[in-house]
Each structure stands twice: as C-alpha cells, then as structure tokens.
Amino acid sequence: MESYEERMRWFKQARFGIYVHFGLYALTGRGEWTMYSERIPAAEYAKLADAFNPKPGCTREWCEAAKNAGANYIVLTTRHHEGFCLFDSKVSDFTSVKRGPHRDIVREFVESARAAGLHVGLYYSLLDWRFPGYFEPEKYPESKEALIRQAHEQVRELMTNYGKIELLEYDGAWDSKYQKKKPDWAEFWQAAKLNAMVRELQPGIIINDRSGKEEDIETPEQVVRAGSKRTSESCMCIGDSCGWGYTRFNPNWKTSEQLLQHLIQAAQLDGNYLLNIGPAPDGSVRNEELERLQALGNWLNSNGEAVYGAQACDLIGASQPGYIDLNLQGPWTRKGNIGYWCIFRWPGTVATAVRVATPVKSVTMLATGQQFDFQWNPATGRLKVLGLPALPPDALCTVLKVEFEDIPRRKPEEDLSAWLQA
Ligand code: JFZ
C-alpha cells in the first residue's frame, strides 16, 4: 500500500472541495434531518420517493458550479440518514433507480465530476433511520444486524460499481443515545473489516474519521480547525449550520468574505475546506450559493497560488486574529521560501508585519506581479512594504507574495517590552 503522504498528495494540493447534500429531504425544504426532527413515520416519508424527479443534467450543473468556484474535488451524499440511495443497490428497493426518476444519480455524478476534471468523493451515512436496530440495538438485534449488513454491502457496491473513487466520507457512526465513544462505534459497524474491504477495492483512497476509526483525515464541522493528528478537512454550510440539505428559507448566508477567510485559514492550518451546497428539489443550485461560489472562483483565478498546495506559515497572522498573533491585516500561507500575506483588512500605502526573522528578497502583488519597495529591519524583525495603493486592490483579499532567503520564521521575543525602545 502506498504511503500516507502519497495518498494525501492530490488532497493537500487541492485544498478546496464542494460538498453536495442532495436527497429526498430536498423535497421537504426543511433540511436533511427533517424525517427525524419531525418524527415522520418511515412509510409516510417514503412517499417522497415517487415525487423525487431531479432534472437531467443536474449533476453537470453541480460540477460546473464547483469548477467555477475554483474547487478541485466534489463529494456527493450517496445515501443520507433517511436511507434513500442515489445509487443502484441489490440490498435496497429504496433507491433512485427503483423509485422516482429511475436513474442512477451517483453514476451521473461521477461521470460529470470526471468530465469536469474534479477528484471524486462519495459520502455514505452508516446509520439509516428506517432501522429500529439503529435506535434500540439491544431491543431489535436482528434489525441492528441487517443495518450493519446493509452498510457493508452498499459500501462494497459504491466501491465496486463507479470506477475510481478518491475520497470516502463516512457519516452517521455515532450511537443513537450518544453515550459511546468512537472506538465503540468502530466495533458496532465492524469498521476495521469494512475499511479493509474499501482499501482492497480502491487502493489509494482517502477515508475520513467518521466510521469510528481515525483513518486518513479529521473532519471538523462548521468550524475551521487544524487536525490534531492528521490532515483536517473543515466542512461547512453556506447558510445556517442546520441546513446541509436544501433549506428553503435560510436567511443567514455567510458572505463571500467569510467563506474566503475560512478557505485561507484552512490552508494556513495545513488543511482543506469542504464547502456545501444543497440543491433544490429539481437538482438546481440556488443563486445564493452560485453567487458566493463564483466570487471565490474569481478570487482564486488570480490568487489560487496562495491556497492550492499551500501550507502553514510560521509568521504571525490569522483570518480572525487571536490576541497572541495580532496581525490585523491577515494570515500568511507558505510554499517553500515564499510567503503569501493574505490581507483582508487593507492598511493603506504601508503594510507592516512584525517578528519577521528571515531576510526578505522581494515583495510583489500576487494578482498583478507589481513589485514594491520594502524595509526589513533584522534587529527588530519589522517588515514595512511601501508605496502600496491607498485603497484595497481586491474587494475580498489582496495577497502580497514575499520571497524570503529561507523558510520564513517568526522572530522570538525574549523581552516582550524590547520593541518599545527599538
Ligand atoms: C452530520 C450529518 O448528520 C449532517 O446531516 C451532515 O451530513 C454533516 C456533514 O454530517 O452532522 C454531524 C456529524 C457529526 C457531528 C455533528 C453533526 N458531531 O460529531 O458533532
């Protein structure tokens, strides 16, 4: 088996993916947890399957939106907690092939993604609310066993029937009473056996941490956070966090600025950003999402070098400054000896960075290539970039590309008051 680094190479270069939450829940307009949160009986909820009729070509629309956003991979919910499969399955009649559109949406999706040049990821929820054995495994042991069998069989189908799958996003491994820990979940789902089968069928695949086993990536949700042991992939909705699936009235849309700050912060933390869209019942992508994805894509078109394949930089700065790293302008990402100062809060004609220990060779505006004069004081570590435009060159974020003589390092401050008399 290839090394972890080899497996992760495309993922760390990609940095930015699009999550697609699509299923019967889109028809409710109230999000993907509607069946459970409104305690809709399974037989009543299942009637939605015959009204489910996504327009032909909707998967191409999702992939086009992802490309326009500057994303490099895309992940589709093949089956969410509601149990409805967007793929053909020998172990379920509750699928988009046997009901509703009588189409294999997952097959359309993987073909659209590959045609668009996107890396392909599949999401699969282990739990399925239709099984009493999920909620009361001791009370309904046969149902619990049937649920686990379904999970193993359907993951096998997804890993066998749809060509090369590069990313598997499990979900729903938690116990229904939220009283157990991940190792117990792994035992419940027989995750070691399941993931061995996945890696046998799909050598090189990246598996997330939501089968109860750590595997390859950590998946902080609705927050951008570094991985504690492995590369992180921070996943987030554009609207309120309760609505991954289509939520018709979802007033709290994050701004393009906020989404870009999240993306850059993820790269700054050596992680990825997986941003969600929740297509409408007919499969179309709503304007509130398209507009924001396009804004990200326009920015990445000129500044993607600061994100794709970029990694953590030792210099002070964060999208949302903490009190220790108070660089009000914005965070740094890095590639080798190049630092990318991603300035969200434009300072005017002079930009000052502090505690820069490494000699500076040049400063240019990434989007234009324009060079700027600078002063770097080796004694104090202060870097002042001079002659900048008075007004922000980019409405979202302007990147200054700074070439250093070595990997940029933060200057220690033995005496925190030393700068006063510098
Ligand atoms: C899960 C799903 O329940 C949700 O619908 C969506 O698909 C999201 C991406 O994943 O949501 C979670 C999963 C894990 C936690 C919280 C919400 N958690 O561990 O706290």
Side-chain angles (χ1 to χ4, degrees):
M1 186 163 85
E2 78 296 309
S3 69
Y4 179 70
E5 284 65 32
E6 285 163 350
R7 194 152 69 240
M8 297 300 292
R9 191 165 289 123
W10 74 263
F11 190 76
K12 293 172 81 75
Q13 177 59 32
R15 282 290 177 238
F16 181 27
I18 295 297
Y19 225 158
V20 182
H21 272 70
F22 188 59
L24 292 189
Y25 40 82
L27 291 165
T28 69
R30 301 189 297 278
E32 76 286 0
W33 272 68
T34 298
M35 177 181 168
Y36 177 75
S37 58
E38 297 180 11
R39 301 296 192 273
I40 301 173
E44 179 185 336
Y45 188 87
K47 291 173 188 164
L48 289 171
D50 298 317
F52 184 63
N53 189 24
K55 63 183 176 183
C58 61
T59 60
R60 281 197 303 274
E61 194 176 311
W62 307 341
C63 294
E64 186 182 345
K67 287 297 278 188
N68 290 344
N72 293 302
Y73 65 104
I74 188 166
V75 181
L76 172 65
T77 53
T78 64
R79 179 173 74 64
H80 207 268
H81 311 333
E82 60 177 9
F84 186 70
C85 301
L86 299 184
F87 59 96
D88 196 9
S89 174
K90 289 186 169 38
V91 296
S92 172
D93 292 336
F94 197 41
T95 79
S96 63
V97 174
K98 296 172 186 165
R99 303 283 294 271
H102 295 281
R103 284 160 41 203
D104 189 326
I105 304 297
V106 169
R107 186 167 308 288
E108 293 176 21
F109 167 76
V110 298
E111 289 169 357
S112 299
R114 290 175 189 133
L118 293 164
H119 294 278
V120 174
L122 298 181
Y123 161 109
Y124 180 81
S125 166
L126 293 165
L127 76 84
D128 182 333
W129 288 323
R130 298 174 304 142
F131 290 71
Y134 162 66
F135 294 101
E136 299 290 350
E138 290 77 22
K139 202 170 175 183
Y140 305 106
E142 299 82 10
S143 172
K144 170 205 159 185
E145 291 311 318
L147 170 66
I148 295 167
R149 261 197 319 277
Q150 171 183 265
H152 282 242
E153 274 313 304
Q154 289 188 336
V155 169
R156 177 184 295 279
E157 290 174 327
L158 290 168
M159 296 298 111
T160 304
N161 301 335
Y162 297 94
K164 181 173 176 53
I165 306 301
E166 297 159 274
L167 173 61
L168 175 55
E169 303 271 17
Y170 285 116
D171 196 22
W174 54 82
D175 77 286
S176 57
K177 298 178 176 67
Y178 304 101
Q179 287 163 350
K180 296 193 171 80
K181 296 291 175 220
K182 277 194 173 183
D184 302 319
W185 304 349
E187 195 181 324
F188 179 94
W189 295 106
Q190 300 167 30
K193 177 182 161 198
L194 181 63
N195 294 346
M197 177 262 288
V198 167
R199 294 195 189 282
E200 178 75 24
L201 292 169
Q202 292 284 347
I205 194 168
I206 294 171
I207 301 176
N208 78 354
D209 61 345
R210 293 193 184 185
S211 65
K213 289 177 64 58
E214 277 186 359
E215 301 300 351
D216 301 315
I217 56 173
E218 299 178 28
T219 52
E221 185 157 325
Q222 307 297 8
V223 64
V224 176
R225 193 167 42 229
S228 57
K229 299 177 194 167
R230 300 288 217 183
T231 298
S232 73
E233 178 193 57
S234 299
C235 59
M236 197 171 285
C237 301
I238 298 179
D240 274 332
S241 59
C242 52
W244 294 86
Y246 179 69
T247 307
R248 189 171 169 216
F249 301 110
N250 194 350
N252 186 25
W253 297 103
K254 297 174 184 72
T255 63
S256 303
E257 290 79 355
Q258 287 170 316
L259 300 174
L260 181 60
Q261 288 191 0
H262 296 150
L263 172 61
I264 292 173
Q265 195 171 4
Q268 182 195 23
L269 298 172
D270 257 337
N272 283 25
Y273 187 53
L274 186 61
L275 183 60
N276 182 72
I277 58 174
D282 69 348
S284 57
V285 184
R286 63 202 303 179
N287 286 335
E288 293 90 343
E289 294 174 338
L290 288 175
E291 288 156 6
R292 287 160 176 81
L293 294 187
Q294 189 61 63
L296 290 177
N298 293 343
W299 187 87
L300 285 163
N301 199 34
S302 308
N303 299 280
E305 181 183 325
V307 170
Y308 302 136
Q311 54 191 126
C313 180
D314 190 37
L315 298 179
I316 289 177
S319 293
Q320 298 292 345
Y323 291 101
I324 301 299
D325 56 10
L326 198 60
N327 153 355
L328 288 173
Q329 279 73 39
W332 292 79
T333 60
R334 177 180 68 85
K335 283 180 193 169
N337 296 351
I338 303 286
Y340 299 96
W341 193 4
C342 303
I343 298 179
F344 286 103
R345 293 161 289 270
W346 190 251
T349 58
V350 177
T352 302
V354 297
R355 299 185 61 189
V356 176
T358 314
V360 175
K361 292 175 70 174
S362 67
V363 181
T364 55
M365 191 173 291
L366 180 60
T368 63
Q370 183 182 354
Q371 288 232 341
F372 291 92
D373 291 336
F374 63 89
Q375 295 164 352
W376 173 68
N377 182 329
T380 65
R382 284 178 95 202
L383 167 63
K384 296 171 88 69
V385 183
L386 310 170
L388 292 167
L391 299 176
D394 187 290
L396 286 183
C397 172
T398 298
V399 180
L400 294 182
K401 179 177 179 178
V402 183
E403 184 180 5
F404 294 87
E405 290 188 3
D406 199 338
I407 291 178
R409 298 284 181 215
R410 183 180 300 202
K411 188 175 179 63
E413 278 187 323
E414 288 82 13
D415 175 342
L416 293 181
S417 72
W419 59 273
L420 286 169
Q421 282 78 36

